[in-house]
Coordinates of all heavy atoms in Angstrom, one line a residue:
F334 N 95.1 80.6 73.6 CA 95.6 79.7 72.6 C 95.9 80.4 71.2 O 96.2 79.8 70.3 CB 94.5 78.7 72.2 CG 94.3 77.7 73.4 CD1 93.2 77.8 74.2 CD2 95.2 76.6 73.6 CE1 93.0 76.9 75.2 CE2 95.0 75.7 74.6 CZ 93.9 75.9 75.4
T335 N 95.9 81.7 71.2 CA 96.1 82.5 70.0 C 97.6 82.6 69.7 O 98.4 82.9 70.5 CB 95.6 83.9 70.1 OG1 94.1 83.8 70.3 CG2 95.9 84.7 68.9
A336 N 97.9 82.2 68.4 CA 99.3 82.4 67.9 C 99.4 83.6 66.9 O 100.4 84.3 67.0 CB 99.7 81.1 67.2
A337 N 98.4 83.8 66.1 CA 98.4 84.9 65.2 C 97.0 85.4 65.0 O 96.0 84.6 64.8 CB 99.0 84.5 63.8
W338 N 96.8 86.7 65.0 CA 95.4 87.3 64.9 C 95.5 88.7 64.2 O 95.8 89.7 64.8 CB 94.8 87.5 66.2 CG 93.3 87.7 66.2 CD1 92.5 88.0 65.1 CD2 92.4 87.5 67.3 NE1 91.2 88.1 65.4 CE2 91.1 87.8 66.8 CE3 92.5 87.1 68.6 CZ2 90.0 87.7 67.6 CZ3 91.4 87.0 69.4 CH2 90.1 87.3 68.9
L344 N 88.4 86.1 63.8 CA 89.0 85.0 64.7 C 90.5 84.9 64.4 O 91.0 85.3 63.3 CB 88.3 83.7 64.4 CG 86.9 83.5 64.8 CD1 86.3 82.2 64.3 CD2 86.7 83.6 66.4
P345 N 91.3 84.4 65.3 CA 92.7 84.1 65.1 C 92.9 83.2 63.8 O 92.1 82.4 63.5 CB 93.2 83.5 66.3 CG 92.2 83.8 67.4 CD 90.9 83.9 66.7
T346 N 94.0 83.5 63.1 CA 94.3 82.7 62.0 C 95.1 81.4 62.3 O 95.1 80.5 61.5 CB 95.1 83.5 60.9 OG1 96.2 84.0 61.6 CG2 94.2 84.6 60.4
S347 N 95.7 81.4 63.5 CA 96.4 80.2 64.0 C 96.3 80.1 65.5 O 96.3 81.1 66.2 CB 97.8 80.2 63.4 OG 98.5 81.3 64.0
Y348 N 96.4 78.9 66.0 CA 96.3 78.6 67.4 C 97.6 77.8 67.8 O 98.2 77.2 67.0 CB 95.0 77.9 67.8 CG 93.8 78.6 67.5 CD1 93.2 78.5 66.2 CD2 93.2 79.4 68.4 CE1 92.0 79.1 65.9 CE2 92.0 80.1 68.2 CZ 91.4 79.9 66.9 OH 90.2 80.6 66.6
S349 N 97.9 77.9 69.1 CA 99.0 77.2 69.6 C 98.9 76.9 71.1 O 98.2 77.7 71.8 CB 100.3 78.0 69.4 OG 101.4 77.4 70.0

Side-chain angles (χ1 to χ4, degrees):
F334 290 101
T335 295
W338 196 342
L344 293 171
T346 54
S347 63
Y348 299 88
S349 174

